[in-house]
Amino acid sequence: PNKVGLAGSPTKVIKVQPPPKTRNPEIKYVGKDQDVIDWLVQKIRESLTEDSGQSLKYERPKPKAKTEREVWVYVDHVDGEPNPASWEIMGEGRRIADLMSTSLSAVVIGDRVDKVVGEAFQYGADKVYHARTKGYNLYDNDVFTQALSRLVKKYSPEAVLFPGSRNPRELASTTAIAVDTGLIADCTNFDVDEKGILHSTRPDFGGKEMSTIICPNHRPVMVTVRPGVFRPLPRTERKGEVIREEVEDLFTRFKVLETRKVERRNVLAEADVVVGVGRGIRDPENIKLAEELAEKLGGVVGVTKPLADSGWYPKDRQVGQTGVTIRPKLYIALGISGAVQHLVGIAGARKVIAINLDPEAQIFQNSDYGVVGDLFQVVPELLRRL
Ligand code: FAD
């Protein structure tokens, strides 16, 4: 709807552009260049030994504006256990607050949330607002919307960022309606202009374009942030001021009948090395080759959507827009063309190596190192040398 500029929409698209090319590829051709496999082994080794502390170090950006109101990050939790996606958003929230020269606050809703409040400081918050919802510690959309909208109306922040996980996405939309402001969903990039207005960028049209959206006249701007894109700040021992608000007269239309814990760890999201497999692998039997390579490098296998859709590999191993966003130290793409929907899932990988027969394949433009060649020739040789 934003694209056609619906009358009355609080948000406005200000720029649409193709996804940025973030890497500068170095490419070798099998059969043309010398010692391609040696070079590949060296690049793999380098990728795995590079100092990982580097990317965690926070460098305070130069402020672009001076904003009076604060930046808030909503901290998601399940019965007092923080959702780690919140700390990634806190990391980016810190940068946004610094660009606006304002302070960064965490918002925590619930009854027993001491652990969440403590960790919010350790991951970068200057201040924590705790809306105490007596008797409600689990997420309840009615209760949490009332609590958050009261806090927002009372303290009037500039922006509220939410992790793009299930409950916060819902809470962001119901709260945006309750306080009559705009919501920009599923963002992957942020900037601030000289007026202190937040520019939020998100993939649109199935990832073919990036739209930059602002909320010019309503405050706060509400934003959900795609999990897995940003990194948390290094954890510290800092503490700060907690502002507690008892939220009275809560009502809910929901009644929780039962709660059950579900194990939802995804090995892909946590792996340091991911070997990605695409249609170039030709036959499900051949995925063994990728598994062998992954095992040798202490990693796991991920796949493109067509492979997951045809049941060649489990759906929870699909990398990309409708799969998992990954951030390994090294991603090796075997026989993957590099569709944008796949690329958004690997944007956070530290190094990307692609092996593909087609020198024109898009994946090469989004890789650090590429080998133009047959994966059935390159991978067995690579396995022998590693
Ligand atoms: P192809 O595009 O067919 O590429 C195969 C590649 O293998 C080619 O580049 C070819 O040159 C190479 N090749 C062939 N033989 C060899 C060989 N012997 N050695 C080396 N290379 C070889 N896709 C995802 O991956 N993740 C998503 O989350 C996702 N979400 C989507 C959401 C939507 C709404 C839509 C519309 C699409 C989505 N897709 C997603 C699909 C995406 O658009 C592409 O169709 C898909 O990523 C292509 O998969 P592929 O690279 O395996 O296959």
Coordinates of all heavy atoms in Angstrom, one line a residue, residues 97-164:
A97 N 20.7 5.4 18.1 CA 20.6 6.4 19.2 C 21.8 7.3 19.1 O 21.7 8.5 19.3 CB 20.5 5.7 20.5
D98 N 23.0 6.7 18.8 CA 24.2 7.5 18.7 C 24.2 8.5 17.5 O 24.7 9.6 17.6 CB 25.5 6.6 18.7 CG 25.8 6.0 20.1 OD1 25.2 6.5 21.1 OD2 26.5 5.0 20.1
L99 N 23.6 8.0 16.4 CA 23.5 8.9 15.2 C 22.6 10.0 15.6 O 22.7 11.1 15.0 CB 22.9 8.1 14.0 CG 23.8 7.1 13.3 CD1 23.1 6.3 12.3 CD2 24.9 7.9 12.6
M100 N 21.6 9.8 16.4 CA 20.6 10.9 16.8 C 21.1 11.7 18.0 O 20.4 12.5 18.5 CB 19.3 10.3 17.1 CG 18.5 9.6 16.0 SD 16.9 9.0 16.5 CE 16.2 8.4 15.0
S101 N 22.3 11.3 18.6 CA 22.8 11.8 19.9 C 21.7 11.8 20.9 O 21.5 12.8 21.6 CB 23.3 13.2 19.8 OG 23.5 13.7 18.5
T102 N 21.1 10.7 21.1 CA 20.1 10.6 22.2 C 20.3 9.3 22.9 O 21.3 8.6 22.6 CB 18.6 10.6 21.6 OG1 17.7 10.7 22.7 CG2 18.3 9.4 20.7
S103 N 19.5 9.0 23.9 CA 19.8 7.8 24.7 C 19.0 6.6 24.2 O 17.9 6.8 23.6 CB 19.6 8.1 26.2 OG 18.3 8.3 26.5
L104 N 19.5 5.4 24.6 CA 18.9 4.2 24.1 C 18.2 3.5 25.4 O 18.9 3.3 26.4 CB 19.9 3.3 23.6 CG 19.4 1.9 23.2 CD1 18.5 1.9 22.0 CD2 20.6 0.9 22.9
S105 N 16.9 3.3 25.3 CA 16.2 2.6 26.4 C 15.6 1.3 26.0 O 15.2 1.2 24.8 CB 15.1 3.5 26.9 OG 15.7 4.7 27.4
A106 N 15.6 0.4 26.9 CA 14.9 -0.9 26.7 C 13.6 -0.8 27.3 O 13.4 -0.2 28.3 CB 15.7 -2.0 27.3
V107 N 12.6 -1.5 26.7 CA 11.2 -1.6 27.3 C 11.0 -3.1 27.6 O 11.1 -3.9 26.7 CB 10.2 -1.1 26.3 CG1 8.8 -1.0 27.0 CG2 10.6 0.1 25.6
V108 N 10.6 -3.4 28.8 CA 10.3 -4.7 29.2 C 9.0 -4.8 29.8 O 8.6 -3.9 30.6 CB 11.4 -5.2 30.2 CG1 11.1 -6.7 30.5 CG2 12.8 -5.0 29.7
I109 N 8.1 -5.7 29.4 CA 6.8 -5.8 29.9 C 6.6 -7.2 30.5 O 7.1 -8.2 30.0 CB 5.7 -5.7 28.8 CG1 5.9 -4.3 28.1 CG2 4.3 -5.8 29.3 CD1 5.1 -4.1 26.9
G110 N 6.1 -7.2 31.7 CA 5.9 -8.5 32.4 C 5.9 -8.3 33.9 O 6.0 -7.2 34.4
D111 N 5.7 -9.5 34.6 CA 5.6 -9.4 36.0 C 7.0 -9.8 36.7 O 7.5 -9.0 37.5 CB 4.6 -10.4 36.5 CG 4.2 -10.3 37.9 OD1 4.8 -9.5 38.6 OD2 3.2 -11.0 38.4
R112 N 7.6 -10.9 36.3 CA 8.9 -11.3 36.9 C 9.9 -11.3 35.7 O 10.1 -12.3 35.0 CB 8.7 -12.7 37.5 CG 7.7 -12.8 38.6 CD 7.5 -14.2 39.1 NE 7.2 -15.1 38.0 CZ 6.0 -15.3 37.4 NH1 5.0 -14.6 37.8 NH2 5.8 -16.2 36.4
V113 N 10.6 -10.2 35.6 CA 11.5 -10.0 34.5 C 12.9 -9.5 34.9 O 13.6 -8.8 34.1 CB 10.9 -9.0 33.4 CG1 9.7 -9.7 32.8 CG2 10.5 -7.7 34.1
D114 N 13.4 -9.8 36.1 CA 14.6 -9.3 36.6 C 15.8 -9.7 35.6 O 16.7 -8.8 35.4 CB 15.0 -9.8 38.0 CG 14.0 -9.2 39.0 OD1 13.3 -8.3 38.6 OD2 14.0 -9.7 40.2
K115 N 15.8 -10.9 35.2 CA 16.9 -11.3 34.3 C 16.9 -10.5 33.0 O 18.0 -10.1 32.5 CB 16.7 -12.8 34.0 CG 17.8 -13.4 33.1 CD 17.7 -14.9 32.9 CE 18.8 -15.4 32.0 NZ 18.6 -16.7 31.6
V116 N 15.7 -10.3 32.5 CA 15.6 -9.5 31.2 C 16.1 -8.1 31.4 O 16.9 -7.6 30.6 CB 14.1 -9.5 30.7 CG1 14.1 -9.0 29.3 CG2 13.5 -10.8 30.8
V117 N 15.7 -7.5 32.5 CA 16.1 -6.1 32.8 C 17.6 -6.0 32.9 O 18.3 -5.2 32.4 CB 15.4 -5.6 34.1 CG1 16.0 -4.3 34.5 CG2 13.9 -5.5 33.8
G118 N 18.2 -7.0 33.7 CA 19.7 -7.0 33.9 C 20.4 -7.1 32.6 O 21.4 -6.4 32.3
E119 N 20.0 -8.1 31.8 CA 20.7 -8.3 30.5 C 20.5 -7.1 29.5 O 21.4 -6.8 28.7 CB 20.2 -9.6 29.8 CG 20.7 -10.8 30.5 CD 20.5 -12.1 29.8 OE1 20.4 -12.1 28.5 OE2 20.5 -13.1 30.4
A120 N 19.4 -6.4 29.6 CA 19.2 -5.2 28.7 C 20.3 -4.2 28.9 O 20.8 -3.7 27.9 CB 17.8 -4.6 29.0
F121 N 20.7 -4.0 30.2 CA 21.8 -3.1 30.4 C 23.1 -3.6 29.8 O 23.9 -2.9 29.2 CB 22.0 -2.8 31.9 CG 20.9 -2.0 32.5 CD1 20.1 -2.5 33.5 CD2 20.7 -0.7 32.0 CE1 19.1 -1.7 34.0 CE2 19.7 0.1 32.6 CZ 18.9 -0.4 33.6
Q122 N 23.3 -4.9 30.1 CA 24.6 -5.6 29.6 C 24.7 -5.5 28.1 O 25.8 -5.5 27.6 CB 24.6 -7.0 30.1 CG 24.7 -7.1 31.6 CD 24.5 -8.5 32.2 OE1 24.3 -9.4 31.4 NE2 24.7 -8.6 33.5
Y123 N 23.6 -5.5 27.4 CA 23.7 -5.5 25.9 C 23.5 -4.1 25.3 O 23.3 -3.9 24.2 CB 22.7 -6.4 25.3 CG 23.1 -7.9 25.4 CD1 22.6 -8.7 26.3 CD2 24.1 -8.3 24.6 CE1 23.0 -10.1 26.4 CE2 24.6 -9.6 24.6 CZ 24.0 -10.5 25.6 OH 24.5 -11.8 25.6
G124 N 23.6 -3.0 26.2 CA 23.7 -1.7 25.6 C 22.7 -0.6 26.0 O 22.8 0.5 25.6
A125 N 21.7 -1.0 26.8 CA 20.7 0.0 27.1 C 21.2 1.0 28.2 O 21.9 0.6 29.1 CB 19.4 -0.7 27.7
D126 N 20.9 2.3 28.0 CA 21.2 3.3 29.0 C 20.2 3.2 30.2 O 20.6 3.5 31.3 CB 21.2 4.7 28.4 CG 22.2 4.9 27.3 OD1 23.3 4.4 27.4 OD2 21.8 5.4 26.2
K127 N 19.0 2.9 29.8 CA 17.9 3.0 30.8 C 16.9 1.9 30.5 O 16.9 1.4 29.3 CB 17.2 4.3 30.6 CG 16.6 5.0 31.8 CD 15.7 6.1 31.5 CE 16.3 7.3 30.7 NZ 15.3 8.3 30.4
V128 N 16.2 1.4 31.5 CA 15.1 0.4 31.2 C 13.8 0.8 31.7 O 13.7 1.3 32.9 CB 15.5 -1.0 31.8 CG1 14.4 -2.0 31.5 CG2 16.8 -1.5 31.2
Y129 N 12.8 0.8 30.9 CA 11.4 1.0 31.3 C 10.8 -0.4 31.5 O 10.7 -1.2 30.6 CB 10.6 1.7 30.2 CG 11.0 3.2 30.0 CD1 12.0 3.5 29.1 CD2 10.5 4.2 30.8 CE1 12.4 4.8 28.9 CE2 10.8 5.5 30.6 CZ 11.8 5.8 29.6 OH 12.2 7.1 29.4
H130 N 10.4 -0.6 32.8 CA 9.7 -1.9 33.0 C 8.2 -1.6 33.3 O 7.9 -1.0 34.3 CB 10.4 -2.6 34.2 CG 9.6 -3.8 34.7 ND1 9.7 -4.3 35.9 CD2 8.7 -4.6 34.0 CE1 8.9 -5.3 36.0 NE2 8.3 -5.5 34.9
A131 N 7.4 -2.0 32.4 CA 5.9 -1.9 32.6 C 5.5 -3.2 33.4 O 5.5 -4.3 32.8 CB 5.2 -1.8 31.3
R132 N 5.2 -3.1 34.6 CA 4.9 -4.3 35.4 C 3.4 -4.6 35.2 O 2.5 -3.8 35.6 CB 5.2 -4.0 36.9 CG 4.9 -5.2 37.7 CD 5.9 -5.4 38.9 NE 5.6 -6.6 39.6 CZ 4.8 -6.7 40.6 NH1 4.3 -5.6 41.2 NH2 4.5 -7.9 41.2
T133 N 3.2 -5.8 34.7 CA 1.8 -6.3 34.4 C 1.5 -7.4 35.4 O 1.7 -8.6 35.1 CB 1.7 -6.8 33.0 OG1 2.8 -7.7 32.7 CG2 1.7 -5.7 32.0
K134 N 1.1 -7.0 36.6 CA 1.0 -8.0 37.7 C 0.1 -9.1 37.3 O -1.0 -9.0 36.8 CB 0.3 -7.2 38.9 CG 0.5 -8.0 40.2 CD 0.5 -7.0 41.4 CE 0.7 -7.8 42.6 NZ -0.5 -8.2 43.3
G135 N 0.6 -10.4 37.5 CA -0.2 -11.6 37.2 C 0.0 -12.0 35.7 O -0.5 -13.1 35.4
Y136 N 0.6 -11.2 34.9 CA 0.8 -11.6 33.5 C 2.3 -11.5 33.2 O 2.9 -10.5 33.0 CB 0.2 -10.6 32.5 CG -1.3 -10.5 32.7 CD1 -1.9 -9.5 33.5 CD2 -2.2 -11.4 32.0 CE1 -3.3 -9.4 33.6 CE2 -3.5 -11.3 32.2 CZ -4.1 -10.4 32.9 OH -5.5 -10.3 33.1
N137 N 2.9 -12.7 33.1 CA 4.3 -12.7 32.7 C 4.5 -13.3 31.3 O 5.5 -13.0 30.7 CB 5.1 -13.6 33.7 CG 6.6 -13.2 33.8 OD1 6.9 -12.0 33.8 ND2 7.5 -14.1 33.9
L138 N 3.6 -14.0 30.8 CA 3.6 -14.5 29.4 C 3.0 -13.5 28.5 O 2.1 -12.7 28.9 CB 2.8 -15.8 29.3 CG 3.5 -17.1 29.8 CD1 2.5 -18.2 29.7 CD2 4.7 -17.4 28.9
Y139 N 3.4 -13.5 27.3 CA 2.9 -12.5 26.3 C 1.4 -12.7 26.1 O 0.9 -13.8 26.0 CB 3.6 -12.8 25.0 CG 3.0 -11.9 23.8 CD1 3.3 -10.6 23.7 CD2 2.2 -12.5 22.9 CE1 2.7 -9.8 22.7 CE2 1.6 -11.8 21.9 CZ 1.9 -10.4 21.8 OH 1.4 -9.7 20.8
D140 N 0.7 -11.6 26.2 CA -0.8 -11.6 25.9 C -1.0 -10.3 25.2 O -0.7 -9.2 25.6 CB -1.5 -11.6 27.3 CG -3.0 -11.4 27.1 OD1 -3.4 -10.4 26.5 OD2 -3.8 -12.2 27.7
N141 N -1.5 -10.4 23.9 CA -1.5 -9.2 23.1 C -2.3 -8.1 23.7 O -1.9 -6.9 23.6 CB -2.0 -9.6 21.7 CG -2.0 -8.4 20.8 OD1 -3.1 -7.8 20.5 ND2 -0.8 -7.9 20.4
D142 N -3.5 -8.4 24.3 CA -4.3 -7.3 24.9 C -3.5 -6.6 26.0 O -3.4 -5.4 26.0 CB -5.6 -7.9 25.5 CG -6.7 -8.0 24.5 OD1 -6.6 -7.4 23.4 OD2 -7.6 -8.8 24.7
V143 N -2.9 -7.4 26.9 CA -2.3 -6.9 28.1 C -1.0 -6.1 27.7 O -0.8 -4.9 28.1 CB -1.9 -8.0 29.1 CG1 -0.9 -7.5 30.2 CG2 -3.1 -8.6 29.7
F144 N -0.2 -6.7 26.8 CA 1.0 -6.0 26.4 C 0.8 -4.8 25.6 O 1.5 -3.8 25.7 CB 1.9 -7.0 25.7 CG 2.7 -7.9 26.6 CD1 2.2 -8.5 27.7 CD2 4.1 -8.2 26.3 CE1 2.9 -9.3 28.6 CE2 4.8 -9.1 27.2 CZ 4.2 -9.6 28.3
T145 N -0.3 -4.8 24.8 CA -0.6 -3.6 24.0 C -1.0 -2.4 24.9 O -0.5 -1.3 24.7 CB -1.7 -3.9 23.0 OG1 -1.3 -5.0 22.1 CG2 -2.0 -2.7 22.1
Q146 N -1.8 -2.8 25.9 CA -2.2 -1.7 26.9 C -0.9 -1.2 27.6 O -0.8 0.1 27.7 CB -3.2 -2.2 27.9 CG -4.5 -2.6 27.3 CD -5.3 -3.6 28.2 OE1 -5.6 -3.2 29.3 NE2 -5.5 -4.8 27.7
A147 N -0.1 -2.1 28.0 CA 1.1 -1.7 28.8 C 2.0 -0.8 27.9 O 2.4 0.3 28.3 CB 1.9 -2.9 29.3
L148 N 2.3 -1.3 26.7 CA 3.3 -0.5 25.9 C 2.7 0.8 25.4 O 3.4 1.8 25.4 CB 3.7 -1.4 24.7 CG 4.7 -0.8 23.8 CD1 6.0 -0.4 24.5 CD2 5.1 -1.8 22.6
S149 N 1.4 0.8 25.1 CA 0.8 2.1 24.6 C 0.8 3.1 25.7 O 1.0 4.3 25.4 CB -0.5 1.9 23.8 OG -1.3 1.1 24.5
R150 N 0.5 2.7 26.9 CA 0.6 3.6 28.0 C 2.0 4.2 28.2 O 2.1 5.4 28.4 CB 0.1 3.0 29.3 CG -1.4 2.8 29.3 CD -1.9 2.2 30.6 NE -3.1 1.4 30.3 CZ -3.8 0.7 31.2 NH1 -3.3 0.7 32.5 NH2 -4.9 0.0 30.9
L151 N 3.0 3.4 28.1 CA 4.3 3.9 28.3 C 4.7 4.8 27.2 O 5.3 5.9 27.4 CB 5.3 2.7 28.2 CG 5.7 1.9 29.4 CD1 6.8 1.0 29.1 CD2 6.0 2.8 30.6
V152 N 4.3 4.5 25.9 CA 4.6 5.3 24.8 C 3.9 6.7 24.9 O 4.5 7.7 24.7 CB 4.2 4.6 23.5 CG1 4.1 5.6 22.3 CG2 5.1 3.4 23.1
K153 N 2.7 6.7 25.3 CA 1.9 7.9 25.5 C 2.6 8.8 26.6 O 2.6 10.0 26.4 CB 0.5 7.7 25.7 CG -0.3 7.2 24.5 CD -1.7 7.0 24.8 CE -2.5 6.4 23.6 NZ -3.7 5.7 23.9
K154 N 3.0 8.1 27.6 CA 3.6 8.9 28.8 C 4.9 9.5 28.4 O 5.2 10.6 28.8 CB 3.6 8.0 30.0 CG 4.1 8.7 31.2 CD 3.8 7.9 32.5 CE 4.4 8.6 33.7 NZ 4.3 7.8 34.9
Y155 N 5.8 8.7 27.8 CA 7.2 9.1 27.7 C 7.6 9.6 26.3 O 8.6 10.1 26.0 CB 8.1 8.0 28.1 CG 8.0 7.7 29.6 CD1 7.3 6.6 30.1 CD2 8.7 8.5 30.5 CE1 7.2 6.4 31.4 CE2 8.5 8.3 31.9 CZ 7.8 7.2 32.3 OH 7.7 7.0 33.7
S156 N 6.7 9.3 25.3 CA 6.8 9.8 23.9 C 8.2 9.6 23.3 O 9.0 10.6 23.1 CB 6.5 11.3 23.9 OG 6.4 11.7 22.6
P157 N 8.6 8.4 23.0 CA 10.0 8.2 22.4 C 9.9 8.6 20.9 O 8.9 8.8 20.3 CB 10.2 6.7 22.5 CG 8.8 6.1 22.6 CD 7.9 7.1 23.3
E158 N 11.1 8.7 20.3 CA 11.3 9.0 18.9 C 11.0 7.8 18.0 O 10.3 7.9 17.0 CB 12.7 9.4 18.7 CG 13.1 9.7 17.2 CD 12.4 11.0 16.7 OE1 12.0 11.8 17.5 OE2 12.2 11.0 15.4
A159 N 11.5 6.6 18.5 CA 11.4 5.4 17.7 C 11.3 4.2 18.6 O 11.9 4.2 19.7 CB 12.6 5.2 16.8
V160 N 10.5 3.2 18.2 CA 10.5 1.9 19.0 C 10.8 0.8 18.0 O 10.1 0.6 17.0 CB 9.1 1.7 19.7 CG1 9.2 0.4 20.6 CG2 8.6 2.9 20.4
L161 N 11.9 0.1 18.3 CA 12.3 -1.0 17.5 C 11.9 -2.3 18.1 O 12.1 -2.5 19.3 CB 13.9 -1.0 17.3 CG 14.6 0.3 17.0 CD1 16.1 0.1 16.9 CD2 14.1 0.9 15.7
F162 N 11.4 -3.2 17.3 CA 11.0 -4.5 17.8 C 11.8 -5.6 17.0 O 11.9 -5.5 15.8 CB 9.5 -4.8 17.5 CG 8.6 -3.8 18.2 CD1 8.4 -2.5 17.7 CD2 7.8 -4.2 19.3 CE1 7.5 -1.7 18.2 CE2 6.9 -3.3 19.9 CZ 6.8 -2.1 19.4
P163 N 12.2 -6.7 17.7 CA 12.7 -7.8 17.0 C 11.6 -8.4 16.1 O 10.4 -8.4 16.5 CB 13.2 -8.8 18.0 CG 12.6 -8.4 19.3 CD 12.2 -7.0 19.2
G164 N 11.9 -8.8 14.9 CA 10.8 -9.3 14.0 C 10.5 -10.8 14.3 O 10.2 -11.5 13.4

